[in-house]
Amino acid sequence: MPEPRIEGLSHMTFIVENLDGMEEILVTVLGARKIYDSEDKTFSLSQERFFHVGATDLWIAIMQGQSLPSRSYNHIAFKFTAADLETYRQRIEALGLDMRETRPRVAGEGRSLYFHDRDNHLFELHTGTLPERLERYKQPPVESHS
């Protein structure tokens, strides 16, 4: 019998205190499109909304609940084209979100913008690909002289 295989990413769910606030982030920064709002109905654990994001069938669910108690480096990364870096930076800044540039990287890893939502979730917008990163990692690290 063949080994079962994951077909791809179905969806991501984020628990947020303010559904409207998270919707603003998803729509404004990621260009997401709302496809469902439970309003006062509860089919799952709490009120929820679903959004399509990107050019695939990827969808994000947000559910009302308590924010994460603290921030960490656990994150979700979305791929984007380097030519759109400034557009995404402006969108993040326009919402007053806590953003930071790419963490220190070796050349060839791509560029990133990181930002936290208001519930302590960390998002990354990243230009690189796994094959690019693996190719770069075949070379020795460049020593830092700082």
Side-chain angles (χ1 to χ4, degrees):
M1 185 181 323
E3 181 68 24
R5 184 174 175 179
I6 299 295
E7 295 177 3
L9 187 61
S10 170
H11 69 280
M12 295 168 277
T13 300
F14 297 96
I15 306 302
V16 300
E17 286 188 19
N18 182 322
L19 293 171
D20 292 333
M22 183 58 150
E23 179 174 335
E24 179 182 41
I25 292 170
L26 295 175
V27 170
T28 302
V29 177
L30 301 181
R33 183 176 53 87
K34 183 166 56 173
I35 55 174
Y36 173 77
D37 186 336
S38 70
E39 298 174 349
D40 60 350
K41 298 178 286 298
T42 303
F43 291 99
S44 188
L45 302 176
S46 62
Q47 290 180 326
E48 59 191 342
R49 296 177 188 172
F50 302 157
F51 300 83
H52 267 142
V53 63
T56 66
D57 287 334
L58 179 62
W59 54 287
I60 295 175
I62 59 174
M63 298 179 75
Q64 193 153 34
Q66 289 188 325
S67 295
L68 294 172
S70 61
R71 293 179 173 184
S72 76
Y73 189 66
N74 289 330
H75 66 280
I76 184 75
F78 294 96
K79 183 161 179 8
F80 76 105
T81 303
D84 294 329
L85 183 89
E86 285 307 313
T87 299
Y88 283 110
R89 180 192 323 279
Q90 291 170 8
R91 290 176 178 182
I92 295 164
E93 288 174 347
L95 293 178
L97 300 172
D98 183 16
M99 179 184 63
R100 64 185 174 99
E101 291 289 331
T102 295
R103 63 173 170 73
R105 295 181 186 270
V106 295
E109 275 194 299
R111 293 186 64 195
S112 294
L113 294 173
Y114 293 87
F115 66 94
H116 280 94
D117 68 8
R118 296 171 185 107
D119 295 278
N120 293 323
H121 301 107
L122 179 60
F123 293 85
E124 176 185 6
L125 301 176
H126 183 67
T127 64
T129 65
L130 178 59
E132 291 169 346
R133 184 172 290 191
L134 293 175
E135 186 61 33
R136 172 57 185 98
Y137 283 12
K138 289 179 184 176
Q139 305 164 21
V142 177
E143 289 188 33
S144 172
H145 293 76
S146 45

